[in-house]
Amino acid sequence: VILEWGLAEAPALVQIQAAGGAAWTTLGVDVTGGALTLDAKALPGGSVTFRVVTAGAGDAALQAAAVSDGLHSGEIQLPDSAPRVWITGPSSGPEGASVVLFGHAFDAEDGVLENLQWFVDGAPAGTGDVLQLPVPAAGSVEVSLSAVDSAGHTVIARHRLEASAAN
């Protein structure tokens, strides 16, 4: 997404607000050049409004302020983004020991996702943000974590857990 506005020489505050949202989120402070390029994947999907508040000295800034009080805004429709999902924890441990893995999921539109599903080698292994499991006796297992956002996007993170040599 490329936002463009006049007054390239005046520093600008660039903000975004999701439809129905009460708060503005700041995307840039003291942005100059009259444009800002944003990664659409990092922005919330749906109807959003951008606003650019310019301030500064000089005739150009004063003319813009006289026309619109230095405030420019525009509403656009962005695609809903898929959540980000990841697993933290050890990738190996002594045979028979128990390890704890932590699941995390965040969605730009929904925030932190809590309906997480764990799988070990494809078989359901639990729900929630924590999974405790034994280290395999030999070889490794694949641990997967899936999360679904309110738009139905499903994302899966994978983590391999291996048995390590005993100390």
Side-chain angles (χ1 to χ4, degrees), residues 48 58 77 88 91 102 111 127 135 166:
V48 297
Q77 190 75 21
T88 57
S91 59
F102 299 92
T127 61
V135 175

Side-chain angles (χ1 to χ4, degrees), residues 10-148:
L13 171 69
V14 181
Q15 297 178 312
I16 187 172
Q17 181 183 52
W24 289 91
T25 300
T26 299
L27 301 173
V29 177
D30 292 336
V31 178
T32 57
L36 180 63
T37 301
L38 303 166
D39 181 358
K41 294 176 189 170
L43 300 173
S47 181
V48 297
T49 300
F50 292 98
R51 77 174 173 185
V52 178
V53 181
T54 56
D59 291 339
L62 293 175
Q63 287 173 350
V67 172
S68 62
D69 296 328
L71 181 65
H72 316 278
S73 66
E75 186 174 328
I76 64 169
Q77 190 75 21
L78 294 174
D80 189 275
S81 61
R84 294 184 178 116
V85 180
W86 65 101
I87 300 169
T88 57
S91 59
S92 65
E95 290 180 20
S98 184
V99 297
V100 177
L101 299 177
F102 299 92
H104 314 276
F106 181 82
D107 184 69
E109 293 79 25
D110 301 333
V112 175
L113 300 177
E114 297 184 9
N115 188 15
L116 306 177
Q117 300 280 327
W118 292 94
F119 301 88
V120 175
D121 285 337
T127 61
D129 58 358
V130 177
L131 178 67
Q132 183 172 354
L133 73 153
V135 175
S140 65
V141 294
E142 181 182 81
V143 179
S144 303
L145 177 67
S146 72
V148 181

